[in-house]
């Protein structure tokens, strides 16, 4: 079977983004109690179906959830001049935010109802500069280990041509519901 062309992949990515943007509700937050009352599936499906607010950071940084399953989470964004540093390329914080988000959400997909998480450690390796010409990029996070008190995940940012822009890894602390 032949691999899809760059144009076909780009068209698919754009169509997936447009479909998700049409479903997402406006930005907002839930309390930790509200989130922990939901299973990860209920939470992410609620966000993806527009029944729960979309994360405000996605609006600020202009990236959206595209796909998720047990232990996997993918966000998509298109960096542009709003994300530039004074040197004329996308600020490293954009990639760090995408990676922190996809890796943390990958961990969240595997938590039990009532559990939460927080990032303890975030490591990023930049491979090449993101610019407005990079086009849409995806940040893909995958769980490496899920324990009782900590979880590890890895992530990568790539474009429609499969070019790697950054990789990351994280350690998250698993939080149990209080009281």
């Amino acid at each position: 079977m032949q691999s899809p062309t760059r144009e076909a992949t780009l068209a698919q990515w754009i169509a997936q983004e447009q479909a998700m943007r049409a479903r997402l509700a406006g930005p907002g937050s839930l309390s930790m109690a509200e989130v922990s009352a939901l299973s990860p599936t209920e939470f992410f499906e609620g966000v993806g179906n527009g029944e729960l607010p979309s994360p405000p950071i996605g609006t600020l940084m202009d990236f959206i959830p595209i796909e998720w399953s047990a232990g996997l989470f993918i966000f998509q964004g298109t960096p542009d001049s709003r994300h530039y540093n004074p040197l004329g390329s996308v600020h490293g914080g954009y990639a760090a935010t995408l990676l922190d988000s996809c890796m943390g959400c990958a961990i969240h997909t595997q938590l039990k109802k009532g559990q939460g998480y927080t990032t303890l450690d975030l490591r990023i390796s930049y491979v090449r500069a993101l610019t407005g010409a990079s086009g849409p990029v995806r940040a893909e996070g995958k769980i490496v280990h899920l324990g009782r008190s900590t979880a590890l995940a890895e992530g990568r940012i790539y474009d429609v041509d499969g070019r790697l822009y950054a990789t990351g890894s994280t350690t998250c602390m698993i939080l149990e519901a209080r009281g």
Side-chain angles (χ1 to χ4, degrees):
M1 188 162 106
Q2 198 173 27
S3 297
T5 65
R6 179 187 197 284
E7 293 75 24
T9 301
L10 181 59
Q12 178 187 23
W13 281 25
I14 291 169
Q16 288 173 318
E17 180 177 344
Q18 289 171 341
M20 181 58 78
R21 285 189 187 278
R23 290 193 308 268
L24 288 176
S29 297
L30 300 175
S31 70
M32 184 67 150
E34 290 171 310
V35 174
S36 65
L38 302 169
S39 71
T41 300
E42 291 168 331
F43 176 72
F44 288 118
E45 292 299 327
V47 170
N49 292 329
E51 298 163 3
L52 296 174
S54 62
I57 191 70
T59 301
L60 176 68
M61 303 289 283
D62 197 20
F63 65 87
I64 63 165
I66 288 292
E67 180 183 326
W68 56 90
S69 60
L72 171 75
F73 210 97
I74 300 173
F75 284 99
Q76 182 170 308
T78 304
D80 60 35
S81 61
R82 294 173 295 161
H83 307 113
Y84 273 30
N85 61 33
L87 303 175
S89 63
V90 173
H91 190 283
Y94 180 83
T97 301
L98 280 170
L99 287 166
D100 186 40
S101 298
C102 73
M103 293 183 296
C105 287
I107 289 168
H108 188 169
T109 66
Q110 290 293 96
L111 297 181
K112 296 175 189 155
K113 192 173 190 175
Q115 290 182 317
Y117 69 96
T118 190
T119 301
L120 290 174
D121 180 91
L122 178 65
R123 296 166 301 283
I124 308 295
S125 295
Y126 299 96
V127 176
R128 63 174 45 89
L130 284 165
T131 69
S134 300
V137 294
R138 289 199 167 176
E140 179 178 318
K142 293 181 181 179
I143 289 180
V144 173
H145 168 77
L146 180 65
R148 285 182 286 142
S149 60
T150 60
L152 307 174
E154 59 190 12
R156 62 191 187 103
I157 296 176
Y158 56 92
D159 66 15
V160 296
D161 296 313
R163 277 189 301 259
L164 186 65
Y165 288 86
T167 64
S169 60
T170 190
T171 305
C172 290
M173 179 170 46
I174 306 300
L175 307 170
E176 296 295 334
R178 294 187 179 170

